[in-house]
Amino acid sequence: MRQRSRLRNAAEYAAARFLLATLALLPFSAALSLAKRYVGLLDRLAPKLRRTAFRNLEYAWPDLPQERREQIVNGVFTSIARLLAVMARFPRIHTANVGQWIRYEGFHHFEEALLRGKGVLFATAHLGNWELSAFAHALMAAPMHVVTRPLDNPLLEDLAVEYRSLSGNTIIGKKDFVRGILRALHSNQAVGILIDQNAGLDDGVFVDFFGHKASTSPSFAKLAARTGATIIPGYAVWHEDEGRYVLHFDTPIAMSGDALVDTQRLQSHLESVIRRYPDQWLWIHRRWKTRPAGEDPVY
């Protein structure tokens, strides 16, 4: 990978600090409007993101009318703007006011899992507000561990860790994540892992996702088999009627011990959730980039 310049790192960091500061200063409605402008600028400067979203929808959901696809893609950018506007407020969100931003649904699944004593693996995704879901869980229940891929810009990585840790969570980098996860589960704690990204040829297995083979990491399923942890799908989606997010904990998914079978179960459940909230999933990610041998590229 080409080495990044210090100037570029500093410029990106300054821009991120400016964005968070301006969003934090305004009332939420005004902050959301400004966040939409920021995301709209990103949309114009990086048109490939919108093209990728449309290509994904054409590939994965071919029977959708074009008008509906446009609604979903526009909704994705609105969802990102909402995430940014809320994340900018992390330093001011605490146990006394977190309920204004999010509530639980299915919390009993987490309570019952803790009684088993083998820890909890949250199967989550870039759906709704994945940053707030972990942040708020630490305030409403208990701090947890979050597995993340370190950002290419070390200054932005430090900033992300700073915000993600404000509520007491521990960040586990993917470079040495197994040891940290095993330690947390052994202590009957919770670990959140994103399971919706393209995994590549070397690290992934192909499972069905929206009717097409998608390269997916089997690490989550292997960890589940190794530890016996309870697997709970968890995601925070925006509910317009309430004006806040709902952190859904779905019924735990039973694991068979077969990594391929279990990875398919996880992806099938995730697909069902995305179909319910399509405008809140990150369709701009090239989920089907890696193809099985002999298949034409999607993008």
Side-chain angles (χ1 to χ4, degrees), residues 100-233:
Q100 299 174 17
W101 301 98
I102 193 169
R103 69 168 176 84
Y104 281 115
E105 188 169 287
F107 185 71
H108 64 284
H109 294 308
F110 176 67
E111 294 177 304
E112 293 165 1
L114 292 183
L115 295 177
R116 294 186 63 244
K118 295 186 177 182
V120 177
L121 281 171
F122 285 125
T124 189
H126 293 90
L127 178 74
N129 197 327
W130 57 92
E131 297 289 357
L132 179 63
S133 62
F135 182 92
H137 182 72
L139 298 175
M140 297 189 295
M144 58 181 288
H145 300 255
V146 181
V147 178
T148 65
R149 184 189 74 80
L151 300 174
D152 295 333
N153 183 334
L155 298 178
L156 288 182
E157 172 63 15
D158 290 344
L159 180 61
V161 170
E162 174 189 338
Y163 270 68
R164 289 166 174 163
S165 304
L166 284 171
S167 60
N169 287 333
T170 299
I171 309 304
I172 302 176
K174 279 192 174 180
K175 289 185 178 180
D176 187 26
F177 68 99
V178 174
R179 188 178 305 173
I181 293 174
L182 293 177
R183 187 182 303 116
L185 296 178
H186 182 73
S187 300
N188 199 29
Q189 296 175 338
V191 180
I193 303 177
L194 294 159
I195 64 168
D196 61 339
Q197 295 168 296
N198 181 67
L201 280 176
D202 295 334
D203 301 324
V205 294
F206 286 102
V207 295
D208 292 328
F209 190 60
F210 281 89
H212 299 281
K213 295 299 182 182
S215 178
T216 307
S217 173
S219 298
F220 191 104
K222 290 179 179 179
L223 281 167
R226 178 174 177 179
T227 64
T230 301
I231 310 306
I232 298 179

Side-chain angles (χ1 to χ4, degrees), residues 23-28 31 84-93 101:
L23 295 178
L25 285 172
L26 298 171
F28 183 69
L84 292 174
V86 173
M87 191 173 182
R89 280 167 160 66
F90 277 11
R92 305 200 323 248
I93 297 178
W101 301 98

Side-chain angles (χ1 to χ4, degrees), residues 4-50:
R4 297 169 59 90
S5 71
R6 291 184 179 181
L7 180 60
R8 178 183 177 184
N9 287 344
E12 291 175 347
Y13 174 78
R17 277 292 188 187
F18 176 81
L19 181 150
L20 292 171
T22 54
L23 295 178
L25 285 172
L26 298 171
F28 183 69
S29 59
L32 179 56
S33 295
L34 180 58
K36 289 179 180 178
R37 290 180 177 272
Y38 287 148
V39 173
L41 179 61
L42 172 66
D43 188 11
R44 290 191 294 273
L45 293 177
K48 67 178 181 180
L49 297 177
R50 181 172 287 267

